Amino acid sequence: MSQIAPVITQKESYRSMEWRYSMVGNRDLRIDFMRGIALVMMVVAHTEVMSIFNIFTWERFGLTTGAEGFVILSGFMLGMLNRVRLQKAVLLTISWGLYLRAWKIYRVNIIIILSFLLLGHFPFINVFEVTHFTDRYAGTTWALYPVTPQIKETWFNIVLYLQIGPHQTQILGLYIFLLLLSPLFLGMLQQGKVYWLLGLSLLVYGCWQRWPVRVTPSEFEFAFPLLAWQFIFVLGMSCGWYKEELLSFARTPPGKVAVAALVMVALILGFVAQNHTNPFMPPALLLHVIPPAEFNAFYHTWAAKNGLGPIRVLNDISLMVAIYLLLTWCWQPLYRLAGWFLIPLGQHSLYTFILHVYVVLAVSQFVTFDLWRQDWVVNTLIHAVALGVLWLMAKYNVAARWIPN
């Protein structure tokens, strides 16, 4: 037995190394994999039918959604890529590129708004699901476009200031403003003032939690208030800028303790999330350890989505660290399982996000959005087809010449 044990250990060690992520080129496919997960979560959430996909994406592994992942990982990529670019170009040049990108996404946002105004004039196209927001919990609906005649000047202003538009793409408005602020963030990172940047960002976030105000007239402020959501974007950008330093720190004894602590937090909050009071989720799939009243009080006070409660921010960071660690250790089996699908979506995340609202519109022509109707087979097929169409378009770069990524 003593001679067999070392052989088993070597085999296990070899298998562990065989499964681990090995960098090919400069692109970190683990980040693309995670961005793909965030895209799937958002597409499933916006195609409002209840399917097997919801069981795995609807705040099931923590008190977090795809929207936070989209913002954090967008900031991460900007920080990581622009640190390299700033070694070859000055900040003014990089800033001009960011402003041009913001301008391009702004124009796309305008086109999205106007396209649904135009489509609404065709009697055979039902644009209700993209021109209205329905609170499925309360059963109330709000119009996101004017329902009474407006003068030309009013139309000009509400479109120009992004005061109307589909709720499925509101986060684009937030992203535009974050891009406009990015040169300031990058300038502070370039000067080594990361603690000043994080401190000021945290101060703004804390002030918003105490005195919530809207600093822009745009519609996205209702769902993604800029002063709150800028914090996770700055966190993501700072982590992307110092990616190599953070990875090196994670290999040290204190770093291993920090990573273990974050993984533990992710597991604890994952357990808490299983006690969710989501009425659309089958009760058999939920735990009932935490009383509903206590969970709701905790959730809406400390982990609210729109206000981005502090526990939600902690959950976002800890869960991303845990997933990144899992992808590092078990890359090969996870890549074979889902990487072929998620990575193309992640590498075309903005492109896919822009297109998904039109896929949602197409689905709504044939299916009534109803989270109470738990027709699992049909609804799962609907989500699979919607995601499959987006994957094919991303895979083959359909209309990529006109749609930014």
Side-chain angles (χ1 to χ4, degrees):
M1 292 297 291
S2 60
Q3 295 178 350
I4 297 175
V7 176
I8 296 174
T9 302
Q10 289 173 4
K11 286 183 177 180
E12 290 176 346
S13 177
Y14 176 75
R15 180 177 294 177
S16 175
M17 293 301 296
E18 192 180 40
W19 281 14
R20 285 180 67 90
Y21 178 82
S22 57
M23 179 69 72
V24 179
N26 295 324
R27 191 172 189 114
D28 190 339
L29 297 181
R30 291 167 294 187
I31 301 299
D32 292 326
F33 195 107
M34 293 168 68
R35 294 169 85 186
I37 293 174
L39 258 297
V40 168
M41 292 172 72
M42 286 191 285
V43 173
V44 170
H46 292 160
T47 310
E48 298 184 67
V49 295
M50 194 68 185
S51 80
I52 293 175
F53 285 94
N54 296 85
I55 293 175
F56 295 99
T57 63
W58 205 348
E59 292 192 316
R60 294 295 287 157
F61 297 100
L63 305 173
T64 182
T65 66
E68 297 106 270
F70 180 82
V71 172
I72 293 172
L73 292 172
S74 295
F76 185 94
M77 293 298 293
L78 283 175
M80 181 178 67
L81 296 176
N82 284 305
R83 181 175 183 177
V84 176
R85 291 170 182 165
L86 283 168
Q87 295 174 0
K88 304 175 182 178
V90 297
L91 180 59
L92 182 61
T93 302
I94 300 298
S95 300
W96 181 245
L98 290 171
Y99 291 146
L100 289 178
R101 181 170 175 79
W103 169 239
K104 189 172 187 178
I105 296 173
Y106 174 76
R107 285 179 292 165
V108 169
N109 212 336
I110 296 294
I111 291 171
I112 291 172
I113 293 171
L114 295 177
S115 68
F116 290 116
L117 278 174
L118 177 63
L119 291 171
H121 286 87
F122 292 90
F124 53 87
I125 298 179
N126 180 7
V127 297
F128 181 86
E129 294 297 344
V130 294
T131 60
H132 293 73
F133 173 74
T134 301
D135 184 339
R136 306 291 174 183
Y137 296 95
T140 54
T141 300
W142 291 273
L144 302 175
Y145 283 75
V147 293
T148 57
Q150 305 289 323
I151 61 176
K152 293 181 179 178
E153 289 80 4
T154 300
W155 277 114
F156 179 81
N157 287 329
I158 60 179
V159 172
L160 183 67
Y161 294 114
L162 307 180
Q163 294 177 318
I164 61 175
H167 72 89
Q168 293 91 346
T169 56
Q170 284 179 358
I171 202 170
L172 288 179
L174 170 68
Y175 190 50
I176 292 167
F177 280 91
L178 292 175
L179 281 174
L180 294 176
L181 292 169
S182 291
L184 171 63
F185 303 152
L186 290 173
M188 296 183 72
L189 289 170
Q190 188 181 32
Q191 295 174 18
K193 297 181 179 178
V194 62
Y195 295 116
W196 278 99
L197 174 60
L198 291 173
L200 289 172
S201 179
L202 178 60
L203 178 63
V204 171
Y205 168 82
C207 288
W208 188 90
Q209 296 296 327
R210 181 66 180 84
W211 301 286
V213 295
R214 296 172 58 200
V215 293
T216 77
S218 302
E219 181 186 49
F220 76 85
E221 287 267 18
F222 291 103
F224 309 102
L226 177 61
L227 296 186
W229 284 69
Q230 57 77 31
F231 179 53
I232 59 173
F233 182 80
V234 169
L235 275 175
M237 181 177 284
S238 300
C239 290
W241 183 277
Y242 288 104
K243 178 190 172 185
E244 296 304 323
E245 288 86 346
L246 289 171
L247 289 176
S248 296
F249 172 72
R251 299 185 187 102
T252 65
K256 291 178 180 178
V257 171
V259 170
L262 287 171
V263 171
M264 185 60 65
V265 169
L267 292 173
I268 292 172
L269 292 176
F271 167 78
V272 172
Q274 305 315 305
N275 294 269
H276 210 295
T277 57
N278 186 341
F280 305 109
M281 196 68 66
L285 298 178
L286 298 171
L287 295 178
H288 305 282
V289 178
I290 302 175
E294 293 183 14
F295 177 87
N296 287 336
F298 167 79
Y299 182 86
H300 294 295
T301 303
W302 297 102
K305 176 181 177 290
N306 293 353
L308 209 62
I311 296 298
R312 181 173 288 266
V313 173
L314 177 62
N315 202 167
D316 291 333
I317 301 302
S318 63
L319 186 58
M320 285 194 170
V321 169
I323 293 174
Y324 191 84
L325 191 63
L326 180 63
L327 289 173
T328 300
W329 287 351
C330 304
W331 175 254
Q332 293 302 329
L334 291 175
Y335 176 80
R336 287 193 291 268
L337 176 67
W340 59 272
F341 181 79
L342 293 173
I343 290 175
L345 293 178
Q347 292 179 340
H348 300 79
S349 58
L350 183 59
Y351 165 93
T352 305
F353 183 80
I354 291 169
L355 285 176
H356 96 283
V357 66
Y358 295 99
V359 172
V360 170
L361 174 67
V363 172
S364 70
Q365 305 308 297
F366 306 98
V367 178
T368 300
F369 284 2
D370 182 6
L371 293 173
W372 293 108
R373 185 173 60 86
Q374 296 183 352
D375 192 341
W376 295 101
V377 175
V378 173
N379 292 344
T380 300
L381 181 61
I382 290 169
H383 277 149
V385 170
L387 290 167
V389 168
L390 290 169
W391 179 81
L392 286 171
M393 296 185 75
K395 183 76 173 177
Y396 296 102
N397 292 317
V398 178
R401 181 178 177 183
W402 299 280
I403 304 171
N405 185 40

